Amino acid sequence: MQDEVTWVLDTIKTGWPGSWPADDDGDPLLYRINRDEPEILETGERTRSLDLSKASAIGAALGSRSPTPTGTEYRNRVETVVSVRFEGLTSRGGEWGHVDSAADVEQLVRYAQHALLAQRSYPTINDVDQDAIGSVAYHSLFVENETDQSHDHRDYFRRDWDVRFVGYSNPDS
């Protein structure tokens, strides 16, 4: 079956403007977490969380899938939502994390969203084992519903948003 969560996380990294955030030794300072599996993609560790003093995190999970019948044949208009979250700790004043400021968070979030929006016209999400049953030919991608949870905590930054895919199910599936 299609895996929109992995597609979102892979697209963020491959479409990232410039170099992926890393320290002087080349170790990543931004990890991607598939919260559905759960797995940290950079390390293969099976967990939903990350010690944010080690690196900041972009996590994603399937939020919803809404099929709506269309036409007279077995075909659905499908909206799939992937929930994405950026989390990081401040590094200001020698603190624990790797985020310098709210402006730094803003830049990291915009880079991640830019990588996704560059693919918004016709996102191609590959099927596992090329199984057509349940596959969707997406024609649109939207980044929406962004919320900033950082104001709730002094040293912790968090920004959430949704990636909404819109398309049609495979009529032959």
Side-chain angles (χ1 to χ4, degrees):
M1 300 303 296
Q2 290 172 303
D3 187 351
E4 291 85 355
V5 172
T6 298
W7 184 90
V8 164
L9 293 169
D10 287 347
T11 300
I12 287 172
K13 188 166 185 177
T14 59
W16 192 266
S19 300
W20 189 250
D23 65 15
D24 294 337
D25 297 327
D27 294 326
L29 292 177
L30 182 58
Y31 282 16
R32 297 165 301 137
I33 301 174
N34 183 329
R35 295 189 333 252
D36 287 340
E37 285 300 328
E39 180 179 11
I40 298 174
L41 300 182
E42 277 67 30
T43 65
E45 182 182 351
R46 306 266 311 150
T47 182
R48 284 181 193 215
S49 62
L50 171 70
D51 175 4
L52 294 175
S53 66
K54 182 176 183 175
S56 297
I58 292 181
L62 185 63
S64 66
R65 181 181 306 260
S66 302
T68 304
T70 182
T72 58
E73 296 179 20
Y74 177 73
R75 185 172 178 159
N76 290 314
R77 180 180 184 274
V78 179
E79 288 194 17
T80 302
V81 176
V82 174
S83 299
V84 182
R85 175 178 298 155
F86 170 84
E87 294 179 285
L89 293 176
T90 187
S91 62
R92 187 175 292 176
E95 296 285 337
W96 317 277
H98 301 281
V99 180
D100 293 332
S101 64
D104 193 24
V105 171
E106 184 72 20
Q107 180 183 32
L108 293 169
V109 168
R110 295 297 159 238
Y111 278 14
Q113 292 177 352
H114 175 270
L116 293 165
L117 291 171
Q119 299 296 321
R120 73 176 163 195
S121 296
Y122 295 97
T124 302
I125 299 170
N126 296 326
D127 292 337
V128 175
D129 301 325
Q130 302 301 313
D131 187 353
I133 295 174
S135 67
V136 178
Y138 291 110
H139 58 75
S140 299
L141 179 151
F142 304 93
V143 173
E144 55 195 14
N145 301 324
E146 185 174 331
T147 59
D148 186 352
Q149 305 293 324
S150 302
H151 62 278
D152 294 339
H153 309 279
R154 203 174 89 195
D155 299 324
Y156 170 74
F157 295 99
R158 176 176 161 184
R159 191 82 59 94
D160 297 350
W161 68 90
D162 292 332
V163 178
R164 182 170 52 100
F165 298 90
V166 179
Y168 291 93
S169 63
N170 184 340
D172 299 325
S173 53

